[in-house]
Amino acid sequence: MITTASDPIHERILDLGSRLIRLHPTYTRPDSQKQAQLLIQKQLEQEGWTTYLDVFTVSQLVSRDFIRHPWEYNRFYKDGFEMTKHNLYAVADSGHPGPTLILNGHIDVDILNGNQETELPWNVSGNIVEGRMLGRGATDMLLGLSTLVYALSLIRERFNKGKLIFTSVIDEEIGGNGSIRACEWLNKNGYFPDGREPMEVVIAEPTNTTICTSSLGFLPFKIQICSKNIHMNAQEHNQLADLNALFNSLYSFKEEHEGLYMNVGTISGGSDPSLPIQDLILEGVMASDSRYTIQTLQNNLRQALSPYTVHYPNLMIEPMKNDGLKFGRGAEQHEFPSACDASVFHHFGYPTVIFGPGRLAQAHTEDEYIEISEVEHYAQQLRAYLIEFFR
């Protein structure tokens, strides 16, 4: 047990977060993900929640047209359709009519440089050093998730109406199929917004403990240039000019669309340094705010790059924006500078707020950590917002 804080609830949050980090629940470690969910389940039941462990595969999802296909984005995820996965849900019912708040987080930790098998001491530390908890997933988002586990304890004496629902999901880092499954479970079990009482979602992504009511979209793309196999000195026009024109077009496209972020992550193709590149493929992503739908960006990019072939892997995420939410009402509202599962809940009709501890710049890094003081501050803020929500 970690004993760096005097508050018993804070101690339990830190202890659970540390144990989750040490399990290292990455994509190719489904048993670690399962063990992490079982650990959380045990803690929830001790806190008085009624829990449900959901074992499934993506192939079993009902929302066929909405399923994300990360295997189209990267063959690293080629087994994702039939891999056994584990979600965890829990319900705390006050026994009286009132609003419902769904607390959501993801148990999976993102890959690092294409290799998530490496368990470096720092990656799985879970130790507290100089006021920071170290380890992969500390910021994104195992400490935020751990805090949600103890939400009922934070407001137990003030929880007199409505319901709290907890959802710990997988696959947020590769598109959101776990949250799609969670929404299907919520609908099947009668937890769907009907307008009579507020029903909202809080996702504990790292927002530096600010309230975010909007998030960015995500559009991966692949651009292909086909060339003939011809002697380097017999080209009608040098391929360098084609490459230069392509990059200029991409740069101009980004500059012409305010609120758009773009990155080219991989360039591949060719077989001989002395020959024009055969089947050159550039792969990248765009992120955009709610001014653009994914369809708009697709159409505009196709037009801007009309000489080239553009493909879009099915890992597209729409931007999300909500107004007039009850949770965090009165606080300054921000935009979460990334895509996340908020778009999934929004698609299914659940108004969503993104609110968690940690800074996004510290996520997905080799030396990931989270400030202990920020975890404590988050728990205090969460309690205040929960009390106001259920007032």
Side-chain angles (χ1 to χ4, degrees), residues 290-329:
S290 58
R291 280 174 284 191
Y292 310 100
T293 66
I294 293 298
Q295 186 63 59
T296 297
L297 289 177
Q298 286 178 311
N299 293 340
N300 291 357
L301 187 62
R302 278 201 183 98
Q303 184 176 359
L305 303 179
S306 56
Y308 311 105
T309 302
V310 184
H311 300 284
Y312 300 102
N314 185 356
L315 200 65
M316 298 169 284
I317 301 171
E318 290 285 350
M320 184 280 299
K321 183 176 176 59
N322 281 307
D323 294 305
L325 300 184
K326 184 176 183 182
F327 184 89
R329 182 178 296 170

Side-chain angles (χ1 to χ4, degrees), residues 7 9 101 147-148 150-159 327 355 375-391:
D7 184 341
I9 295 177
L101 190 65
T147 306
L148 298 184
Y150 296 99
L152 183 58
S153 288
L154 289 172
I155 63 161
R156 194 179 302 275
E157 74 282 3
R158 308 287 289 273
F159 184 50
F327 184 89
F355 168 64
V375 178
E376 186 169 16
H377 179 58
Y378 175 64
Q380 293 169 351
Q381 282 192 293
L382 178 64
R383 181 178 185 274
Y385 289 141
L386 287 170
I387 289 173
E388 183 62 29
F389 186 84
F390 288 105
R391 189 184 299 276

Side-chain angles (χ1 to χ4, degrees), residues 331-384:
E332 185 177 354
Q333 298 182 358
H334 298 264
E335 178 178 75
F336 185 57
S338 179
C340 70
D341 280 2
S343 67
V344 173
F345 286 97
H346 188 71
H347 172 85
F348 281 89
Y350 297 93
T352 304
V353 167
I354 309 162
F355 168 64
R359 293 165 173 78
L360 195 63
Q362 191 53 41
H364 300 190
T365 60
E366 292 185 9
D367 60 345
E368 187 169 346
Y369 64 83
I370 192 167
E371 301 283 351
I372 297 303
S373 60
E374 188 160 3
V375 178
E376 186 169 16
H377 179 58
Y378 175 64
Q380 293 169 351
Q381 282 192 293
L382 178 64
R383 181 178 185 274

Side-chain angles (χ1 to χ4, degrees), residues 25-161:
T26 52
Y27 179 77
T28 55
R29 299 166 58 84
D31 187 61
S32 290
Q33 293 184 355
K34 176 184 177 181
Q35 293 306 313
Q37 298 288 40
L38 291 174
L39 174 59
I40 293 175
Q41 183 178 33
K42 181 179 179 180
Q43 302 305 309
L44 286 165
E45 290 176 350
Q46 291 177 354
E47 292 292 304
W49 300 74
T50 302
T51 65
Y52 308 85
L53 186 66
D54 183 15
V55 183
F56 68 99
T57 65
V58 172
S59 65
Q60 295 172 329
L61 295 181
V62 176
S63 310
R64 308 298 296 183
D65 294 337
F66 196 55
I67 293 174
R68 310 295 168 75
H69 298 177
W71 46 88
E72 293 181 12
Y73 176 73
N74 191 321
R75 283 189 55 78
F76 183 86
Y77 305 109
K78 63 183 183 300
D79 56 351
F81 195 59
E82 295 293 348
M83 177 186 285
T84 300
K85 301 177 183 294
H86 297 81
N87 272 4
L88 178 64
Y89 319 123
V91 178
D93 192 338
S94 70
H96 301 281
T100 297
L101 190 65
I102 300 165
L103 306 173
N104 172 266
H106 62 84
I107 196 64
D108 53 315
V109 175
D110 192 49
I111 62 174
L112 184 63
N113 297 327
N115 179 11
Q116 54 184 340
E117 296 297 337
T118 304
E119 293 188 24
L120 301 175
W122 183 288
N123 290 351
V124 294
S125 165
N127 292 332
I128 295 177
V129 178
E130 297 181 351
R132 296 172 172 176
M133 182 169 288
L134 315 180
R136 296 278 294 137
T139 288
D140 192 13
M141 56 176 287
L142 296 180
L143 268 297
L145 182 62
S146 296
T147 306
L148 298 184
V149 170
Y150 296 99
L152 183 58
S153 288
L154 289 172
I155 63 161
R156 194 179 302 275
E157 74 282 3
R158 308 287 289 273
F159 184 50
N160 300 316
K161 62 179 181 179

Side-chain angles (χ1 to χ4, degrees), residues 216-217 219 221 253-254 257-263 285-289 291-292 297 335-338:
L216 301 183
L219 177 62
F221 60 85
F253 185 86
K254 178 185 179 300
H257 290 76
E258 187 177 355
L260 181 68
Y261 307 84
M262 182 183 293
N263 181 66
V285 297
M286 288 187 288
S288 62
D289 61 25
R291 280 174 284 191
Y292 310 100
L297 289 177
E335 178 178 75
F336 185 57
S338 179

